[in-house]
Amino acid sequence: MKHILENSYPIPTHKSWSMMDASKIKCFMTCPRKFLFEYLFGWRGNSINVDLTFGTAIHAFVEQLYIHGMNEKGYEAGYKEFLNLYRAEISEGDEELEIKCLLKNPTSASLLIKNYMSRYLTDKFEVYGTEIGGTVAVADNRELCFKIDLIGKEENGKFFILDHKTTSMQINEVYLNQWQTSYQVNLYLHALGAFLLKEGYTLEDIKAFIINVMFLKTYKRKPYNKELTIEEYGEGFLATDFYRHEIPYNPDMIYAWLQEVNNWLDIMEHNLELLSEANISDRFLKAFPKCGNEQACVSYFHTCKFHSICITDANPLQLYKSNPLNFEVSYWNPLEDQKTIKRKVKL
């Protein structure tokens, strides 16, 4: 979609506009107006994102286990990587102030990974690659960004993706079913197919996408103190659980997904054309309309951070030069944000 930058728009363009991934498409599908604010205006919350930081750091932790092994060396290397990423975003002072750090902190990460090592010590598969990312074509002149946590190869020669997820949500049928139609799952399976074809394999060698769920939850409402060990808190302060949910590879479903994703990209490009025709003086903005679905405004029991703008400003182009309070302009490019990538490919 690089050609979209060739158009003239009423606001400055950014190279990240042309770099699409599953998260950006999901945002557009949920609410085009939110997509406009977050990815075209570049309005990002300036508060610490504990969930994202902890999740990214845990990914790096687990990766080292599969590089060095489920042993002390793997643990030490992983914990070092975790701390480097975690402390780059969350200082010890921030940790004491952020309520989410009661659950997501270096101490809980240590417990989570030690229990993970105990659960999967007997994993029997070849680690074909970790942290593989880049772009994959979905049509002529269209590509999407992806980052695969781990590609595994079973003893029978079948390949699979192991994708790490950390959650405090209950692992039940509802939680697991959300991944069946996920654009991330379909995109990564499509990328795995393109990657393996390039490596000399066939699509018949693909088995599945496996959601590697790591559950972490606090059960004792005891104030967090980083000086105390888990043992000093007492049994039951933190609970962990693990589950692997397999989504089989189905070539026909990937083909169907390719048609769907290109349909959504067509709609997105149409809205970009409308944006190029818009003016700051317009009474309202036709491009990237509000979704009209009140459930999207309060997802995960939180009101959308752009809610107050949506209900008061018919043409948000008039606000572009004065981004709202508690927001900063920070464009997100999924290629540049792949901090832990070990191998970059263009498929």
Side-chain angles (χ1 to χ4, degrees):
M1 295 180 64
K2 293 181 179 179
H3 64 279
I4 66 174
L5 298 178
E6 298 172 0
N7 294 339
S8 176
Y9 297 95
I11 59 174
T13 60
H14 190 271
K15 61 181 180 180
S16 64
W17 284 23
S18 64
M19 305 309 299
M20 294 295 159
D21 70 347
S23 295
K24 285 189 173 183
I25 295 173
K26 180 181 177 180
C27 179
F28 179 78
M29 293 165 66
T30 301
C31 181
R33 185 58 54 93
K34 181 179 181 181
F35 177 90
L36 174 74
F37 292 146
E38 191 155 340
Y39 295 116
L40 301 187
F41 283 16
W43 286 353
R44 313 280 284 182
N46 55 17
S47 59
I48 296 172
N49 191 327
V50 177
D51 295 329
L52 178 61
T53 298
F54 185 82
T56 300
I58 284 292
H59 275 63
F61 205 148
V62 175
E63 182 199 8
Q64 294 303 312
L65 299 181
Y66 288 105
I67 292 175
H68 299 289
M70 299 279 187
N71 50 43
E72 185 176 349
K73 183 178 180 181
Y75 172 84
E76 294 295 336
Y79 189 67
K80 181 179 180 180
E81 287 292 317
F82 174 90
L83 279 181
N84 286 340
L85 290 170
Y86 188 85
R87 288 290 176 232
E89 302 294 333
I90 302 174
S91 68
E92 292 187 9
D94 294 330
E95 191 179 325
E96 293 176 354
L97 296 173
E98 291 288 335
I99 188 64
K100 285 190 174 183
C101 289
L102 174 68
L103 175 64
K104 298 181 176 181
N105 55 68
T107 303
S108 58
S110 175
L111 175 72
L112 179 69
I113 298 302
K114 285 179 179 178
N115 290 349
Y116 180 88
M117 292 168 66
S118 297
R119 171 69 67 88
Y120 297 117
L121 184 63
T122 57
D123 269 347
K124 293 182 179 179
F125 60 81
E126 174 191 346
V127 178
Y128 195 79
T130 61
E131 299 297 323
I132 298 170
T135 59
V136 59
V138 293
D140 291 340
N141 299 317
R142 278 181 177 170
E143 60 184 18
L144 297 179
C145 303
F146 71 95
K147 182 177 76 68
I148 294 174
D149 294 339
L150 183 148
I151 298 176
K153 185 179 182 182
E154 295 183 340
E155 294 178 345
N156 61 6
K158 292 288 187 178
F159 289 88
F160 63 89
I161 291 173
L162 192 66
D163 191 77
H164 315 312
K165 303 291 183 188
T166 56
T167 184
S168 57
M169 295 176 63
Q170 184 179 0
I171 303 174
N172 55 24
E173 186 178 4
V174 174
Y175 175 82
L176 297 174
N177 282 345
Q178 69 177 309
W179 304 110
Q180 298 294 136
T181 57
S182 164
Y183 268 37
Q184 181 199 20
V185 171
N186 284 284
L187 170 59
Y188 288 16
L189 282 172
H190 172 60
L192 176 61
F195 176 77
L196 291 179
L197 289 173
K198 200 171 184 178
E199 295 277 296
Y201 296 94
T202 70
L203 297 181
E204 294 181 354
D205 294 314
I206 302 175
K207 179 184 180 182
F209 185 106
I210 299 175
I211 306 291
N212 189 34
V213 186
M214 291 174 276
F215 172 83
L216 180 66
K217 191 174 182 67
T218 55
Y219 282 105
K220 286 187 177 179
R221 297 300 179 186
K222 190 172 183 178
Y224 172 60
N225 183 339
K226 65 179 183 297
E227 301 299 329
L228 298 181
T229 65
I230 293 299
E231 290 74 18
E232 288 171 321
Y233 271 111
E235 184 179 356
F237 172 68
L238 289 173
T240 64
D241 196 8
F242 308 95
Y243 191 85
R244 286 181 175 172
H245 181 58
E246 184 174 305
I247 301 171
Y249 177 71
N250 184 330
D252 288 343
M253 295 305 293
I254 298 300
Y255 178 79
W257 169 80
L258 282 170
Q259 312 314 306
E260 292 170 8
V261 76
N262 275 287
N263 179 55
W264 281 107
L265 291 174
D266 286 341
I267 298 171
M268 188 184 296
E269 288 191 3
H270 173 66
N271 276 272
L272 284 162
E273 291 176 4
L274 291 177
L275 182 62
S276 70
E277 298 168 359
N279 292 294
I280 294 177
S281 60
D282 290 342
R283 186 174 182 179
F284 67 94
L285 182 64
K286 294 181 181 179
F288 297 95
K290 297 184 288 293
C291 66
N293 181 354
E294 63 277 5
Q295 292 181 349
C297 300
V298 292
S299 59
Y300 296 104
F301 306 103
H302 289 88
T303 302
C304 175
K305 56 190 174 184
F306 302 115
H307 184 267
S308 61
I309 301 172
C310 282
I311 64 176
T312 57
D313 297 278
N315 183 359
L317 293 178
Q318 297 170 358
L319 301 176
Y320 176 76
K321 292 185 178 180
S322 56
N323 50 295
L325 185 67
N326 298 324
F327 286 92
E328 61 183 12
V329 176
S330 177
Y331 293 96
W332 183 62
N333 184 331
L335 276 183
E336 294 178 351
D337 196 57
Q338 295 177 348
K339 301 175 183 177
T340 57
I341 282 290
K342 296 296 185 296
R343 180 177 176 183
K344 185 169 287 189
V345 294
K346 185 176 178 64
L347 304 172

